[in-house]
Amino acid sequence: IIKFYVVSHPHTSYGSLSAFHTSFFLFSLQTFTAWCNSHLRKAGTQIENIEEDFRNGLKLMLLLEVISGERLPKPDKGKMRFHKIANVNKALEFISSKGVKLVSIGAEEIVDGNLKMTLGMIWTIILRFAIQDISVEETSAKEGLLLWCQRKTAPYRNVNVQNFHISWKDGLALCALIHRHRPDLIDYSKLRKDDPIGNLNTAFEVAEKYLDIPKMLDADDIVNTPKPDEKAIMTYVSCFYHAFAGAEQAETAANRICKVLAVNQENEKLMEEYEKLASELLEWIRRTIPWLENRVAEQTMHAMQQKLEDFRDYRRVHKPPKVQEKCQLEINFNTLQTKLRLSNRPAFMPSEGKMVSDIANAWKGLEQVEKGYEEWLLTEIRRLERLDHLAEKFKQKSTLHESWTTGKEELLSQKDYESASLMEIRALMRKHEAFESDLAAHQDRVEQIAAIAQELNELDYYDAATINAQCQGICDQWDNLGTLTQKRRESLERVEKLWETIDQLYLEFAKRAAPFNNWMDGAMEDLQDMFIVHRCWCCSSVINSFFVHTILITAHDQFKATLPEADKERMAIMGIHNEILKIAQTYGIKVVGENLYTVLSPQDISNKWEAVKQLVPMRDQTLQEEVARQQSNERLRRQFAAQANIIGPWIQTKMEEISHMSTDIAGSLEEQMSNLKTYEQNIINYKSNIDKLEGDHQLSQEGLIFDNKHTNYTMEHVRVGWEQLLTTIARTINEVENQILTRDAKGISQEQLNEFRASFNHFDRKRNGMMDPDDFRACLISMGYDLVSAFSPGEVEFARIMTLVDPNNTGVVTFQAFIDFMTRETAETDTAEQVMASFKILASDKLYITVEELRRELPPEQAEYCISRMTKYIGGDAPPGSLDYISFSSALYGESDL
């Protein structure tokens, strides 16, 4: 026989049957009957008399099945007394199996209709299944229910709940409970404390009509009893707790889901921003590289210089903002990964081809193409300058040659010797000999013209066709002149025997005047050749440039030294002419016409000699100007080197100082952040020195200065160092920001962070901000971390840890990864299971949730977010349009695809 005496619970003692008295029966009979019927109605039945209707045990077993949700053993169907006792014993055994100790009661008392024992058993069931699970701040069931009532009614006037008897007599406490959760059902401001029966009946009617809580008490009995029965009041009030606790639980679940979804939406926004920025930067690189890879040379120097200016604009204007975007992209990526780790989300994997490493590789390729493009531009400019010089030289020599050959073919084709006198024939013969001498002297010029044309072709001169046509014309004409000269000589020699007398003086004049005139032509040509002065294209260094110009000055001085000898030759030639005049005057010879042996006159020699003397000082001035230009270039080299030799070491020093600051553990993270911000501002303020150096570099390039023996630093070195310095300080600041974010999210103290930093610095043997796996293992052991877990040996455990701190298998452990690992185990984050449990509450314990339930329980934005991302629930028992919240919750934490 199972006997009833006490209901035990780890924190609750409910007394014995001796506690039942007359008032208990007055209240409890009505209350317990109503409470039992509120549950039996769910099974389609009810009781009329509590001491009679439970005697056969059938409705008692049904009641226990309804309130527990479990199946009891199959009842006996007979109507004999032993059948009834067997059924009641099955019910009592089920109560006992739930941890309730029954004393002083057996199945016989219930079957015999013992009202006192029956009510005690019902109270035991109420305590176990309606009140025992109530717990607020780890109090007992009764205290928890009382605390819940006090908190809910605290804001209401005239309500002071201190117990479960007299505190409820005026009915205001019950009305306050209803109004707190359903203000639309009761107008609390119209209630009066002096109308307890009206207040109680209002609460009973509203609870029964709108809250599905049956009327278990009588208003007159409560008001007229000095101390209403505590157990009856507790039973009735517990129904309100269960009615409203479900709504609060749903509200809590909705809040949790909103919080999780808000974090997920924010992370998705950051991911979209990263994808957008990465796509734009990669697209800019994709558009820029073909422009830099274009090696189609322009045909003119002006067009190539415009290309160089466009490249400078790209360096000064277009590229710096992209450098900042690249740095900001890396910072945003690191911040997003930190937030994902702190919210227990999987790491962000950008779209294919948009990883930080992909962007870095694309950037590296851009800089390689950029460097090659600049070198190509400068090479092409030097080539075009050389081409312009050669083309101008070809033009001068061709013009001079064509001027000389004008009329020569007609002259050589004449047959004037057929009707000439003896003197004229001899004159024609001598004149022809002088022409041959002149022709031989011009052979070298023709060869020079052909050589220049060939070099222009080899250097791919844009107008080579015109040059070739002109050169071919000169060569063909030259060949024709040779042929005509040979034919005329043969004709003159044939008639020379017929003519014997020739004026030797005219012949001598012609022979000496022609070479001297050719010498003067060559001298004038050299004195006017300014291209070899202004540009020494073949010189590859400053020393060679000065050496060549020294040779030119020396050669010019040597030329001036030959002028006295040339003047003597001129005087000798002029003396021949004077001798002719003297002979003619002496012997009465009348000289009529020109010298038949040459086209040169004494006046021609004199005029050309004066021209040579005027060109000499002009040549002096040009050489001095070139020396001054070379000296100016040397000053530019020294000026650039002076700044570069300061800025280069300054950048290196700042890089080393930033590296030291990143490993320094002195002060708080906020102080380190402040120091780094100040340091970053100082670096930015130094930008004016870089700009000044850029200006000097541009002046050097405009002066076509391409080397500098005074410094090892080029502008490219300084640019790369400056960009690395800006990126390093920005990355260091971002690392400290992430440490602050990690510290605040994980609840780590400054002392713990300093300890982590000290341990990391000690084992960072290479002082590069990273640890090798062996150093990381030693660091963990030194901090007391046990690498041998209960389920895996040391190597397996360490391998598991390495997959956490080095997911990309880079072979190193950064400080941020080290901090994340040391704080990972204490992280207090949401889990997929918690989110599933919250959705299950909103879905009333179903395995699916409907669109209406989501829109009713969640704010509009979060509800629509879930509806758009949840997949349809696959199951036969679900209505159309039901959604699968389980797979959605798993996807939020990376356990499946969202």
Side-chain angles (χ1 to χ4, degrees):
I1 298 174
I2 301 174
K3 295 186 177 181
F4 169 88
Y5 184 73
V6 175
V7 180
S8 292
H9 185 266
H11 303 290
T12 309
S13 176
Y14 300 107
S16 66
L17 287 176
S18 61
F20 288 94
H21 44 74
T22 304
S23 63
F24 172 80
F25 290 106
L26 292 175
F27 285 97
S28 300
L29 184 61
Q30 177 185 359
T31 302
F32 290 1
T33 301
W35 184 85
C36 291
N37 284 333
S38 69
H39 292 287
L40 289 172
R41 279 199 301 270
K42 298 176 183 178
T45 185
Q46 64 179 15
I47 61 173
E48 299 295 337
N49 189 326
I50 198 170
E51 65 179 308
E52 292 294 333
D53 293 347
F54 285 142
R55 291 178 63 183
N56 62 4
L58 295 177
K59 289 189 177 182
L60 178 60
M61 294 178 69
L62 183 60
L63 174 65
L64 290 174
E65 286 184 346
V66 172
I67 62 178
S68 68
E70 300 179 19
R71 298 289 296 178
L72 270 68
K74 186 176 181 181
D76 292 351
K77 296 298 184 179
K79 296 183 179 180
M80 304 297 292
R81 175 178 173 81
F82 73 88
H83 291 128
K84 298 178 180 179
I85 292 175
N87 289 337
V88 173
N89 273 331
K90 291 177 182 178
L92 295 179
E93 287 173 358
F94 178 77
I95 296 173
S96 180
S97 70
K98 297 302 179 181
V100 179
K101 295 181 180 180
L102 301 173
V103 182
S104 299
I105 188 171
E108 293 83 353
E109 285 85 349
I110 304 301
V111 173
D112 293 340
N114 188 323
L115 181 60
K116 183 176 181 180
M117 291 300 178
T118 302
L119 291 177
M121 179 188 65
I122 297 302
W123 174 241
T124 301
I125 294 172
I126 292 173
L127 285 176
R128 174 60 183 84
F129 293 101
I131 298 178
Q132 178 176 314
D133 292 336
I134 298 175
S135 178
V136 181
E137 296 183 358
E138 299 183 357
T139 59
S140 64
K142 177 181 178 181
E143 293 171 347
L145 183 60
L146 182 63
L147 181 58
W148 178 80
C149 294
Q150 289 173 342
R151 288 183 176 177
K152 296 299 180 180
T153 60
Y156 293 88
R157 57 183 175 81
N158 299 324
V159 178
N160 184 17
V161 177
Q162 298 296 327
N163 49 55
F164 285 109
H165 37 80
I166 61 175
S167 295
W168 304 84
K169 290 187 65 173
D170 57 9
L172 290 177
L174 285 173
C175 291
L177 277 179
I178 296 172
H179 185 269
R180 179 64 180 272
H181 295 89
R182 292 290 302 274
D184 57 311
L185 299 180
I186 292 179
D187 187 354
Y188 188 84
S189 62
K190 294 182 180 180
L191 301 179
R192 295 183 292 107
K193 187 174 181 62
D194 58 359
D195 184 18
I197 293 178
N199 295 338
L200 287 168
N201 284 330
T202 297
F204 294 157
E205 292 170 1
V206 169
E208 185 172 25
K209 183 176 180 180
Y210 297 103
L211 303 180
D212 198 25
I213 299 175
K215 183 178 180 181
M216 301 180 183
L217 303 173
D218 183 87
D220 292 328
D221 292 341
I222 294 176
V223 172
N224 295 326
T225 302
K227 183 180 180 182
D229 182 68
E230 186 176 51
K231 297 175 180 58
I233 299 295
M234 282 181 65
T235 301
Y236 188 61
V237 172
S238 68
C239 294
F240 284 90
Y241 174 83
H242 290 292
F244 295 134
E248 291 183 354
Q249 191 177 22
E251 180 181 356
T252 301
N255 290 337
R256 176 184 291 276
I257 291 173
C258 289
K259 176 184 175 184
V260 171
L261 295 180
V263 171
N264 211 61
Q265 287 174 303
E266 180 183 0
N267 290 339
E268 287 185 354
K269 182 178 180 182
L270 291 175
M271 294 176 191
E272 292 173 356
E273 291 177 355
Y274 174 88
E275 290 281 342
K276 179 176 179 295
L277 288 176
S279 298
E280 291 175 351
L281 182 58
L282 288 171
E283 176 62 19
W284 178 83
I285 293 174
R286 185 191 66 78
R287 293 196 313 269
T288 304
I289 285 179
W291 174 65
L292 294 174
E293 288 178 338
N294 182 13
R295 298 293 193 273
V296 178
E298 299 293 341
Q299 296 180 347
T300 64
M301 175 68 76
H302 175 74
M304 286 304 297
Q305 288 176 340
Q306 183 59 46
K307 273 184 175 288
L308 180 61
E309 188 62 30
D310 293 342
F311 180 74
R312 288 171 179 164
D313 286 342
Y314 157 79
R315 275 273 183 77
R316 293 191 301 260
V317 179
H318 302 292
K319 185 181 178 184
K322 298 302 178 182
V323 174
Q324 294 296 325
E325 289 179 11
K326 174 177 173 291
C327 179
Q328 189 62 43
L329 195 67
E330 294 177 0
I331 292 173
N332 291 351
F333 181 84
N334 293 335
T335 302
L336 174 60
Q337 297 293 43
T338 300
K339 288 185 177 182
L340 289 172
R341 286 195 299 272
L342 294 177
S343 60
N344 201 25
R345 300 309 197 271
F348 169 55
M349 289 298 294
S351 302
E352 184 177 357
K354 296 180 183 177
M355 293 288 291
V356 173
S357 59
D358 296 327
I359 295 173
N361 290 335
W363 189 266
K364 183 178 179 181
L366 173 69
E367 292 185 330
Q368 289 175 347
V369 175
E370 175 184 316
K371 181 179 180 182
Y373 185 75
E374 183 178 27
E375 294 173 353
W376 172 78
L377 279 177
L378 298 177
T379 301
E380 279 300 310
I381 289 175
R382 288 194 290 267
R383 184 183 70 85
L384 287 176
E385 185 180 34
R386 171 64 174 167
L387 286 174
D388 287 348
H389 163 63
L390 289 174
E392 186 65 24
K393 192 170 184 179
F394 179 89
K395 179 181 177 181
Q396 278 195 349
K397 287 183 176 294
S398 298
T399 301
L400 189 62
H401 175 78
E402 290 170 351
S403 176
W404 178 83
T405 59
T406 300
K408 293 295 188 297
E409 291 175 296
E410 292 80 4
L411 182 63
L412 292 172
S413 300
Q414 289 180 357
K415 295 184 179 181
D416 50 346
Y417 50 85
E418 293 181 350
S419 59
S421 63
L422 176 61
M423 294 299 294
E424 291 173 341
I425 290 298
R426 298 185 73 177
L428 288 175
M429 187 62 189
R430 301 299 180 267
K431 183 178 180 180
H432 187 70
E433 290 175 352
F435 174 77
E436 286 180 328
S437 178
D438 199 8
L439 186 67
H442 278 79
Q443 176 70 33
D444 183 61
R445 180 176 289 115
V446 174
E447 292 175 355
Q448 290 178 3
I449 290 173
I452 293 172
Q454 181 179 357
E455 188 172 359
L456 286 171
N457 278 275
E458 291 173 353
L459 292 176
D460 196 21
Y461 183 59
Y462 78 96
D463 199 16
T466 302
I467 296 293
N468 292 337
Q470 188 174 2
C471 181
Q472 187 63 43
I474 290 173
C475 292
D476 293 342
Q477 186 187 40
W478 184 256
D479 292 338
N480 189 39
L481 283 175
T483 302
L484 292 174
T485 300
Q486 183 64 28
K487 288 182 178 180
R488 184 171 179 82
R489 165 169 278 281
E490 292 173 355
S491 298
L492 288 173
E493 287 177 347
R494 189 172 59 249
V495 297
E496 185 180 17
K497 295 178 181 179
L498 302 175
W499 312 100
E500 297 178 350
T501 306
I502 261 201
D503 192 340
Q504 293 297 327
L505 291 175
Y506 271 128
L507 181 59
E508 181 69 12
F509 178 88
K511 287 184 177 181
R512 297 186 70 174
F516 184 72
N517 179 71
N518 190 61
W519 175 86
M520 286 191 295
D521 286 341
M524 292 176 66
E525 180 182 350
D526 291 338
L527 289 172
Q528 295 179 84
D529 188 3
M530 298 303 154
F531 296 95
I532 62 173
V533 176
H534 292 306
R535 297 291 183 269
C536 297
W537 180 83
C538 61
C539 299
S540 59
S541 68
V542 180
I543 297 176
N544 287 340
S545 181
F546 277 117
F547 178 71
V548 169
H549 284 88
T550 301
I551 292 175
L552 292 176
I553 293 173
T554 302
H556 185 59
D557 292 338
Q558 292 173 353
F559 170 78
K560 290 191 291 183
T562 63
L563 288 177
E565 287 295 325
D567 191 45
K568 289 180 181 181
E569 178 67 12
R570 182 187 67 83
M571 292 299 293
I573 294 172
M574 296 306 293
I576 294 172
H577 176 67
N578 292 334
E579 184 69 16
I580 292 173
L581 295 177
K582 182 179 178 181
I583 292 174
Q585 184 178 5
T586 301
Y587 296 100
I589 298 174
K590 187 178 180 180
V591 179
V592 179
E594 299 177 353
N595 190 335
L596 298 178
Y597 305 116
T598 180
V599 295
L600 293 174
S601 67
Q603 187 61 42
D604 293 334
I605 299 298
S606 297
N607 292 341
K608 194 167 289 188
W609 176 254
E610 290 300 323
V612 169
K613 290 196 298 182
Q614 291 176 2
L615 287 174
V616 169
M618 294 174 61
R619 178 73 167 184
D620 289 335
Q621 181 181 357
T622 302
L623 287 172
Q624 293 303 319
E625 289 175 353
E626 179 61 20
V627 170
R629 192 182 72 84
Q630 292 295 337
Q631 291 174 346
S632 174
N633 288 350
E634 181 64 7
R635 285 194 297 273
L636 285 175
R637 290 186 182 94
R638 293 181 182 275
Q639 181 176 334
F640 177 88
Q643 294 187 77
N645 289 336
I646 294 174
I647 293 176
W650 182 86
I651 291 176
Q652 183 62 32
T653 301
K654 295 304 176 184
M655 291 286 287
E656 294 172 357
E657 291 176 358
I658 292 173
S659 177
H660 176 71
M661 293 175 70
S662 66
T663 59
D664 190 7
I665 60 175
S668 65
L669 290 176
E670 285 73 13
E671 291 173 346
Q672 294 180 32
M673 176 62 70
S674 177
N675 293 338
L676 286 171
K677 291 287 187 181
T678 303
Y679 207 81
E680 182 184 40
Q681 188 58 46
N682 292 338
I683 291 175
I684 293 173
N685 293 339
Y686 197 78
K687 180 67 166 56
S688 59
N689 296 313
I690 305 296
D691 295 338
K692 186 175 184 303
L693 189 65
E694 283 280 8
D696 291 343
H697 176 64
Q698 182 172 346
L699 290 176
S700 298
Q701 286 194 330
E702 291 172 353
L704 298 178
I705 302 172
F706 304 112
D707 50 5
N708 195 334
K709 68 178 181 178
H710 304 295
T711 181
N712 293 326
Y713 293 98
T714 65
M715 195 63 228
E716 182 64 24
H717 292 154
V718 174
R719 290 192 194 106
V720 172
W722 177 253
E723 292 174 0
Q724 289 179 347
L725 180 61
L726 292 178
T727 302
T728 300
I729 187 64
R731 186 181 295 112
T732 303
I733 290 174
N734 178 246
E735 288 177 357
V736 176
E737 289 174 343
N738 286 339
Q739 291 177 30
I740 293 174
L741 185 62
T742 302
R743 180 198 65 189
D744 295 341
K746 304 293 186 177
I748 305 173
S749 66
Q750 184 64 45
E751 290 74 18
Q752 286 177 304
L753 273 178
N754 290 342
E755 180 183 355
F756 292 156
R757 170 55 79 179
S759 299
F760 185 91
N761 290 345
H762 177 75
F763 288 94
D764 180 14
R765 306 187 192 282
K766 296 181 180 179
R767 296 297 182 265
N768 59 355
M770 294 177 286
M771 287 191 293
D772 293 334
D774 292 340
D775 294 334
F776 177 57
R777 182 199 297 272
C779 181
L780 291 178
I781 295 174
S782 70
M783 298 183 71
Y785 193 95
D786 187 7
L787 292 179
V788 181
S789 69
F791 304 98
S792 62
E795 289 300 322
V796 176
E797 178 65 8
F798 183 72
R800 182 190 69 82
I801 295 174
M802 283 301 296
T803 61
L804 298 177
V805 299
D806 184 23
N808 296 325
N809 293 323
T810 60
V812 294
V813 179
T814 64
F815 179 68
Q816 186 62 43
F818 176 73
I819 288 293
D820 291 340
F821 171 76
M822 296 305 295
T823 59
R824 188 185 303 275
E825 302 301 328
T826 59
E828 194 172 320
T829 57
D830 298 307
T831 64
E833 290 74 16
Q834 291 175 326
V835 176
M836 290 181 197
S838 299
F839 272 118
K840 188 174 183 181
I841 292 173
L842 298 187
S844 301
D845 291 336
K846 300 189 297 293
L847 296 179
Y848 57 85
I849 192 167
T850 65
V851 174
E852 292 74 16
E853 288 172 334
L854 286 172
R855 288 176 174 159
R856 183 179 68 244
E857 302 295 346
L858 298 179
E861 183 180 355
Q862 278 74 22
E864 297 305 322
Y865 179 82
C866 293
I867 293 170
S868 64
R869 283 166 172 76
M870 283 186 180
T871 59
K872 292 184 178 181
Y873 177 77
I874 301 175
D877 58 340
S882 299
L883 302 176
D884 185 357
Y885 63 80
I886 296 178
S887 62
F888 175 76
S889 301
S890 299
L892 286 178
Y893 291 87
E895 298 176 10
S896 65
D897 294 331
L898 185 60

